[in-house]
Amino acid sequence: MKKLRVGIIGMGIGEKHLQAFEKNRYCEIAMLCDFDASKLAEIKAKYPQYSACLDASEVISDPRINVLSIASYDNFHFAQTIAALEAGKHVYAEKPFCLYRAEADRIGKLLNAKRHLKFSSNLVLRTVPRFKELRKKIRAGELGPLFHLEGDYNYGRVEKLTNGWRGQIDFYSPVYGGGVHIVDLLHWLSGEKITEVQAIGNNISTKGTSFRYNDMVTALVKFENGMTGKISANFACVYPHFHKINIYGTKGTFEQDMIHANYYFSRDKDDKPVADLNDYPGHSTRGELIAGFIDAIVDDAQPLVTPQEVFDAMSVCFAIEDALKSGEKVKVSYMEVYK
Ligand SMILES: NC(=O)c1ccc[n+]([C@@H]2O[C@H](COP(=O)([O-])OP(=O)(O)OC[C@H]3O[C@@H](n4cnc5c(N)ncnc54)[C@H](O)[C@@H]3O)[C@@H](O)[C@H]2O)c1
């Protein structure tokens, strides 16, 4: 079989994409791209075997490239995704895959029209071994029916807001940048979708810096089956990068903080919880989503995070941003990708 030729735009996290594509037997790297000349020089020195360019349109318009990995700044994802799909390429886009509902709409329409093209996004928390085990336990009924789910995306990298592109682009949302991971995780763990949200936020931590947006957002959410939840995107916290998760079921509770991850099956404090012994986040599955994306192309199957799931997570994030602006409770308006 002829190998799939891969182009990658943006060589920050994009370098991790590169390492996943390099390992894949169906892929060969066709072109790396970064519009920062010094970054590109660094990449060229590290990977002299690959072609590299400064201008993303060179990668997108190259007819020999079949797969495009988009790891540029958030504000470029929409235009690059549209151009790549129009050029007949499969697209693996970093999150958020766009910044506005109208953009998501346009991408959805294009995916619907070009069904042979695969699309997914790097919603990586699904590949964490600890969460895979948690999902198995939930599915096996060990926690009983769930009734409340909480996730805090503790970013812990405030300097990336105050010193980098996140503070310079026209709009940056910690909900789109981090909350989206928690939304997808809670959807995937529970198998239920969020239908209603309320949200509040602030920028107390970064006030007076060049970062002009909320660095802290918290949303109360309600799921279709009545479950409640809380999702926070806490970008300025004095805390290492971490995902705090609490899942409450009628028969058991899962709780993970920086130090512990435990299952509680008793209300008696003398009963020891059952510790989860998986290393966290556990890198054994690094690159799994990209491997699954390539398998989806090769087998004409669904990627591990399907286009619909990518859009579902983003639809909740749009509703949270709307709720922040209006101060009102907002119903999530889901978009159907394939009509
Ligand atoms: N899924 C995840 O867990 C995860 C983790 C980190 C970053 N991200 C996402 O990846 C994207 C990049 O973030 P990062 O942390 O790697 O940033 P970064 O600043 O570390 O790296 C981005 C690189 O892309 C280059 N670039 C940006 N726009 C470009 C364009 N239009 N054309 C060519 N090169 C371009 C920049 O010069 C830079 O070298 C963001 O959308 C971010 O949300 C996702």
Side-chain angles (χ1 to χ4, degrees):
M1 183 196 141
K2 244 176 100 183
K3 288 201 173 189
L4 293 163
R5 290 174 59 81
V6 178
I8 304 170
I9 304 175
M11 296 310 299
I13 186 85
E15 191 180 353
K16 294 271 184 288
H17 294 205
L18 165 62
Q19 288 157 1
F21 286 117
E22 269 184 323
K23 277 198 304 209
N24 196 290
R25 66 193 167 115
Y26 299 115
C27 294
E28 65 187 26
I29 307 298
M31 182 83 77
L32 306 177
C33 169
D34 201 296
F35 65 10
D36 176 338
S38 63
K39 182 76 192 179
L40 194 70
E42 195 188 298
I43 287 292
K44 275 181 166 171
K46 201 163 165 189
Y47 303 96
Q49 68 274 38
Y50 302 134
S51 303
C53 68
L54 284 166
D55 182 356
S57 63
E58 219 179 289
V59 190
I60 297 170
S61 64
D62 186 334
R64 294 163 305 171
I65 291 177
N66 322 98
V67 179
L68 192 72
S69 190
I70 299 178
S72 50
Y73 302 153
D74 295 5
N75 54 317
F76 295 113
H77 296 176
F78 165 67
Q80 291 173 349
T81 298
I82 290 281
L85 291 171
E86 273 170 351
K89 299 184 195 328
H90 304 283
V91 174
Y92 190 79
E94 262 306 342
K95 48 88 254 185
F97 72 94
C98 66
L99 292 175
Y100 302 98
R101 199 186 302 271
E103 295 179 345
D105 237 23
R106 274 200 56 199
I107 293 173
K109 286 206 174 84
L110 206 47
L111 288 172
N112 189 43
K114 294 183 178 259
R115 288 174 178 232
H116 59 293
L117 295 180
K118 302 296 172 191
F119 174 78
S120 192
S121 188
N122 202 22
L123 296 168
V124 286
L125 292 188
R126 293 175 178 217
T127 65
V128 170
R130 189 176 277 175
F131 296 149
K132 286 183 175 174
E133 192 169 323
L134 170 60
R135 186 171 186 261
K136 248 193 230 153
K137 284 189 160 48
I138 292 171
R139 294 294 147 104
E142 289 182 44
L143 273 63
L146 305 183
F147 61 91
H148 184 73
L149 295 79
E150 293 190 0
D152 292 353
Y153 189 91
N154 280 358
Y155 189 58
R157 297 167 179 163
V158 70
E159 69 288 351
K160 291 202 177 193
L161 302 186
T162 53
N163 288 328
W165 59 268
R166 290 169 177 85
Q168 285 154 18
I169 62 177
D170 285 344
F171 172 56
Y172 185 81
S173 161
V175 179
Y176 301 173
V180 67
H181 282 295
I182 303 292
V183 172
D184 182 63
L185 181 71
L186 298 188
H187 276 176
W188 176 76
L189 285 173
S190 69
E192 294 288 333
K193 287 206 299 202
I194 294 167
T195 50
E196 253 177 47
V197 307
Q198 297 175 65
I200 47 177
N202 68 49
N203 69 340
I204 293 170
S205 296
T206 54
K207 208 172 232 152
T209 72
S210 58
F211 187 71
R212 295 158 286 156
Y213 312 107
N214 284 314
D215 54 60
M216 170 72 217
V217 175
T218 192
L220 292 178
V221 304
K222 192 160 179 191
F223 290 76
E224 198 166 10
N225 70 348
M227 295 186 305
T228 52
K230 183 188 70 109
I231 293 169
S232 296
N234 186 345
F235 268 48
C237 55
V238 182
Y239 201 89
H241 186 83
F242 193 73
H243 319 101
K244 287 175 93 159
I245 303 292
N246 280 11
I247 305 292
Y248 296 90
T250 57
K251 293 203 297 199
T253 297
F254 171 81
E255 177 184 52
Q256 84 153 359
D257 59 24
M258 185 54 84
I259 311 208
H260 305 107
N262 283 317
Y263 289 91
Y264 293 82
F265 293 107
S266 164
R267 292 180 174 96
D268 185 338
K269 74 173 170 39
D270 294 329
D271 287 344
K272 281 222 171 343
V274 179
D276 175 291
L277 300 176
N278 285 297
D279 182 26
Y280 190 83
H283 290 312
S284 58
T285 51
R286 193 171 252 171
E288 184 179 336
L289 289 187
I290 284 183
F293 185 66
I294 295 302
D295 286 347
I297 297 171
V298 172
D299 302 335
D300 191 17
Q302 290 274 28
L304 295 174
V305 186
T306 68
Q308 188 60 56
E309 290 169 329
V310 174
F311 275 66
D312 287 351
M314 207 55 209
S315 299
V316 175
C317 294
F318 288 141
I320 293 175
E321 278 291 338
D322 288 349
L324 265 172
K325 272 188 218 105
S326 66
E328 306 282 331
K329 194 191 291 179
V330 171
K331 279 206 184 324
V332 180
S333 164
Y334 283 105
M335 288 171 249
E336 211 185 316
V337 183
Y338 299 114
K339 303 196 166 80

